[in-house]
Amino acid sequence: MTAAKTAQESARSEAKRAQIRHGATRVFLAEGFAGATTDAIAKAAGVSKQTLYVYYRSKEQLMVDVLTSLLARLNRDHAVLEGERPVGSLPELRATLVELASEVLTAISGSDYLALSRVIIADSPRVPEIGRLWAQTITGGIRLLVIGLLERAREAGVVVVDDVEAATRLLTGGLLTYILPDGIVAVDGPVTAPDRERVERIVDLFLRAVT
């Protein structure tokens, strides 16, 4: 087989996988792992069950691929964990924490992100491999980012805190309570992130404790 033929076959294969993932995403987010049948997935994807099994040997393999793809898109659309943020002075640290908190809360209040979280939480016991995906979500990564920010701020003499990890949980845990507990079980409409004034008050209270 020529290189051009191989590339063509590879492109066709990836296009078919993308087609299957697109249909399966709707089914998994709506029904979860246990409720999603291969018949429903094949119908939503517009393929036969035989074609489905050509590309994915099991429902578990398909679910991991679907959630990984969805997570990559969500993290790309809300790239809140990327980029260097200034923390060299108290005003800089405050501005950084307020902006970061606002970005994170906006990102995770979206329906797709909450649907992804529900699936991971509900189905990780059945499909252990998807449990690792939680660490790759925004809510999993924000703690490490804030730890890094506080460590840099401590080195600069901006904050005085012995236990950075505990301080990080104090801030991030307080912020996430505005979205995740209500959002995970929400059945009566979208979840709204707290307004900027509320975020600023939370950050100011936190800074009083660590400066």
Side-chain angles (χ1 to χ4, degrees):
M1 183 179 294
T2 65
K5 182 70 172 179
T6 300
Q8 189 178 40
E9 289 292 334
S10 178
R12 273 201 296 264
S13 177
E14 181 49 41
K16 185 60 69 174
R17 284 181 179 274
Q19 178 184 341
I20 294 172
R21 281 197 303 268
H22 181 70
T25 296
R26 300 198 304 275
V27 178
F28 280 134
L29 292 185
E31 305 295 338
F33 179 78
T37 66
T38 52
D39 285 331
I41 292 170
K43 181 178 180 180
V47 299
S48 67
K49 287 179 66 174
Q50 289 78 9
T51 298
L52 182 65
Y53 284 119
V54 166
Y55 289 92
Y56 294 96
R57 296 187 301 276
S58 67
K59 192 169 71 166
E60 290 84 355
Q61 183 188 46
L62 175 56
M63 185 177 195
V64 170
D65 194 27
V66 163
L67 295 183
T68 300
S69 177
L70 177 59
L71 177 61
R73 178 177 65 78
L74 290 172
N75 283 344
R76 183 175 62 249
D77 290 347
H78 302 284
V80 300
L81 303 182
E82 299 176 3
E84 189 77 6
R85 297 174 186 259
V87 294
S89 67
L90 185 57
E92 284 185 346
L93 177 60
R94 181 185 187 276
T96 286
L97 292 179
V98 169
E99 289 301 324
L100 179 62
S102 298
E103 291 170 15
V104 167
L105 291 171
T106 297
I108 67 175
S109 64
S111 58
D112 281 353
Y113 194 91
L114 290 175
L116 171 66
S117 299
R118 292 187 193 103
V119 171
I120 291 176
I121 291 171
D123 293 312
S124 55
R126 300 184 185 90
V127 190
E129 190 174 351
I130 69 173
R132 66 176 174 78
L133 294 176
W134 184 253
Q136 300 174 34
T137 64
I138 295 171
T139 48
I142 184 61
R143 187 170 61 87
L144 295 178
L145 178 56
V146 173
I147 285 175
L149 293 174
L150 292 181
E151 286 178 341
R152 287 170 48 212
R154 183 172 63 180
E155 291 171 0
V158 176
V159 301
V160 181
V161 56
D162 294 329
D163 193 334
V164 169
E165 200 271 344
T168 297
R169 288 183 182 274
L170 178 66
L171 176 62
T172 58
L175 289 167
L176 295 179
T177 59
Y178 280 89
I179 302 295
L180 289 183
D182 295 334
I184 293 298
V185 297
V187 294
D188 56 355
V191 176
T192 303
D195 60 29
R196 189 178 181 89
E197 182 180 357
R198 170 63 63 177
V199 172
E200 289 177 346
R201 290 175 65 185
I202 293 171
V203 170
D204 286 339
L205 285 171
F206 170 75
L207 289 175
R208 288 181 194 175
V210 298
T211 57

